Amino acid sequence: MRTPTPDAPPVALSIAGSDSGGGAGIQADLATMTTHGVYGTAAITAVTAQHTRGVESSFVLPRSEIAAQIDAVVDDFDVGAAKTGMLATTEVVELVTDRVRDEPFPLVVDPVMVASSGDRLLDEDAERAYADLLAEATVVTPNADEAEVLTGIAVEDDASAHEAGEAILEFGADAALVKGGHVPGETVRDHLVTPEGTTTFEHERVDTDATHGSGCTLAAAITARLARGEALEAAVEGATDFLSRAIERHYDVGQGPGAVNHAVDR
Ligand SMILES: Cc1ncc(COP(=O)(O)O)c(N)n1
């Protein structure tokens, strides 16, 4: 391993799928990390042929190649924090769980299941495999639909969001950020549930459907901030503010809804 120099940037690792359309997945994660002054590394789980209108096809990499990418990064870099995104199959969820289990860095688990276009990004039978990965998480970042799949609790208001967060803690996660973007209301209320209590972050709802990449971007911003050494609550607060700006100043690209602006603060 190289000797760290005083001006070496913090390093973060994204374990996620590639989005050829550039809005979500690895592309969103690396852009978001760069915007946060963090050096981004990547282990690609699947290659999707995707644009702003949907997912055309998807190819999951062999497990040995996913493992080799994670090992290559972890062997050489001083990884400050990592995140998971699209994991596609039971086998990949299990492999990633196994690979991150003994690592010292904080882990953000974004339990990606269905793209904003409605296309599935995780096999249905892989939902059950998430239980063991949640136990390794510093924070899990489900939207309302993902929280319901993981816990069986329908997230419709503050009380049910809190309840779903508590259920995620019972899997062994250190914290859950139950996101409010899919819950109707004039403001978006994201709830950070920890054993110490719940903190709610509220943002004005931006009237746009250009939210492609929002989940990836939020989780990557939290990861980058953790890699920079921020405490979890500060990281989540900063990341939710960042996402709000990234949606407000979204990219009007493609023929479908546009994508969030991962470079908004540059
Ligand atoms: C490779 C990949 N990873 C994640 C998402 C989810 O992002 P969104 O819900 O914004 O479509 C995606 N569409 N593609």
Side-chain angles (χ1 to χ4, degrees):
M1 198 187 281
R2 276 171 216 274
T3 313
T5 55
D7 56 354
V11 175
L13 165 64
S14 170
I15 306 170
S18 165
D19 170 5
S20 57
I26 287 285
Q27 288 78 356
D29 293 348
L30 295 180
T32 301
M33 289 168 186
T34 302
T35 300
H36 281 81
V38 170
Y39 185 92
T41 63
I44 296 179
T45 55
V47 176
T48 70
Q50 191 174 170
H51 43 48
T52 58
R53 288 173 286 147
V55 181
E56 296 288 331
S57 72
S58 172
F59 174 76
V60 182
L61 268 74
R63 284 195 310 165
S64 57
E65 289 308 313
I66 299 170
Q69 294 173 80
I70 297 171
D71 291 350
V73 171
V74 168
D75 283 352
D76 190 48
F77 294 86
D78 185 11
V79 175
K83 76 170 280 276
T84 65
M86 175 187 180
L87 298 181
T89 66
T90 300
E91 291 68 31
V92 176
V93 176
E94 288 174 353
L95 165 80
V96 170
T97 305
D98 203 47
R99 274 297 188 284
V100 297
R101 187 166 282 132
D102 296 324
E103 295 299 339
F105 45 71
L107 179 70
V108 178
V109 172
D110 181 19
V112 172
M113 294 177 182
V114 178
S116 47
S117 55
D119 300 289
R120 280 207 76 88
L121 297 171
L122 179 74
D123 291 350
E124 219 158 333
D125 66 12
E127 290 167 355
R128 278 191 307 274
Y130 256 94
D132 288 341
L133 182 57
L134 300 186
E136 305 305 321
T138 305
V139 62
V140 185
T141 63
N143 60 33
D145 305 312
E146 292 156 354
E148 182 169 355
V149 169
L150 294 174
T151 68
I153 297 163
V155 175
E156 290 158 348
D157 51 21
D158 289 2
S160 50
H162 175 80
E163 215 185 312
E166 292 274 330
I168 289 170
L169 299 190
E170 275 167 33
F171 282 103
D174 296 341
L177 179 66
V178 182
K179 299 179 291 188
H182 294 186
V183 180
E186 253 175 50
T187 60
V188 175
R189 294 169 66 75
D190 301 314
H191 305 277
L192 178 65
V193 181
T194 74
E196 285 74 49
T198 298
T199 309
T200 301
F201 303 96
E202 191 170 357
H203 293 87
E204 203 70 22
R205 187 177 292 277
V206 182
D207 184 20
T208 177
D209 55 0
T211 56
H212 178 54
S214 54
C216 307
T217 299
L218 177 65
I222 296 170
T223 307
R225 286 166 183 271
L226 291 175
R228 288 193 328 204
E230 289 182 25
L232 181 62
E233 189 168 324
V236 169
E237 181 170 22
T240 55
D241 288 349
F242 172 76
L243 180 64
S244 189
R245 292 192 294 279
I247 295 175
E248 173 88 51
R249 307 255 320 270
H250 57 265
Y251 290 123
D252 195 10
V253 290
Q255 292 165 38
V260 305
N261 185 342
H262 330 96
V264 65
D265 287 351
R266 295 198 79 199

